[in-house]
Amino acid sequence: MVEAVLERTRSRHGARVYAYVLMPEHVHLLLNEPPNILLSQFLKVLKQTISRQLKGEREQFWQDRYFDANVRGEEGRSEVIQYIHRNPVKRGLAERPEHYPWSSYNHYATGNRGAVEIESEWTARWRQTHSSR
């Protein structure tokens, strides 16, 4: 459900998601500033939509704040993507990144399109092939 909401929100606002992982109590996202909405507004829409569906009897679903940082350059982006994909292994939720189903890792490893469109070389090639038809 979270991946579906992320994809709908990404698509609606033209965001580019470079990597993600859904952890039991938090989410890691690497994305750009969407062209027509502030990043804080994008995250607000995403969080509100998800919490309406998952909150249940809880007073609050999300933490009050999110933590963000600017990433510069290809090397910085690669480091963050690796960190995101290794997070489930580090936490003991999977033996290897490819064994954890709620992340963008398998897109990078195989090029297969998953629940969320990932901005990658695979996606760029797919777009190129399908736009020339």
Side-chain angles (χ1 to χ4, degrees):
M1 188 283 297
V2 175
E3 288 174 314
V5 172
L6 174 58
E7 174 55 23
R8 280 195 311 272
T9 309
R10 181 213 61 78
S11 179
R12 183 178 312 123
H13 296 290
R16 293 181 176 178
V17 176
Y18 294 92
Y20 75 92
V21 65
L22 309 178
M23 301 293 286
E25 74 290 337
H26 68 282
V27 175
H28 288 282
L29 288 172
L30 178 60
L31 59 140
N32 73 330
E33 180 94 26
N36 300 319
I37 187 173
L38 294 174
L39 181 59
S40 60
Q41 292 171 321
F42 176 90
L43 292 172
K44 182 179 179 180
V45 169
L46 179 69
K47 289 170 69 173
Q48 282 180 343
T49 305
I50 292 167
S51 66
R52 283 186 190 118
Q53 295 182 39
L54 295 179
K55 183 177 166 191
E57 298 297 316
R58 286 176 268 200
E59 176 94 11
Q60 181 175 341
F61 184 78
W62 297 99
Q63 294 177 344
D64 287 332
R65 169 153 165 55
Y66 64 91
F67 301 95
D68 65 351
N70 291 326
V71 177
R72 297 199 188 330
E74 193 59 42
E75 186 176 330
R77 183 172 29 190
S78 292
E79 288 174 9
V80 172
I81 291 169
Q82 287 179 9
Y83 171 83
I84 288 171
H85 291 154
R86 290 181 182 149
N87 206 253
V89 175
K90 182 179 175 184
R91 290 279 308 283
L93 299 172
E95 194 172 305
R96 300 171 52 117
E98 61 267 28
H99 297 158
Y100 194 73
W102 301 287
S103 103
S104 54
Y105 179 85
N106 285 315
H107 170 78
Y108 280 96
T110 66
N112 290 337
R113 299 178 81 182
V116 178
E117 182 178 280
I118 302 302
E119 199 63 30
S120 69
E121 290 181 30
W122 294 104
T123 305
R125 273 185 255 155
W126 184 88
R127 285 184 190 134
Q128 211 172 30
T129 301
H130 289 83
S131 69
S132 61
R133 291 181 177 179

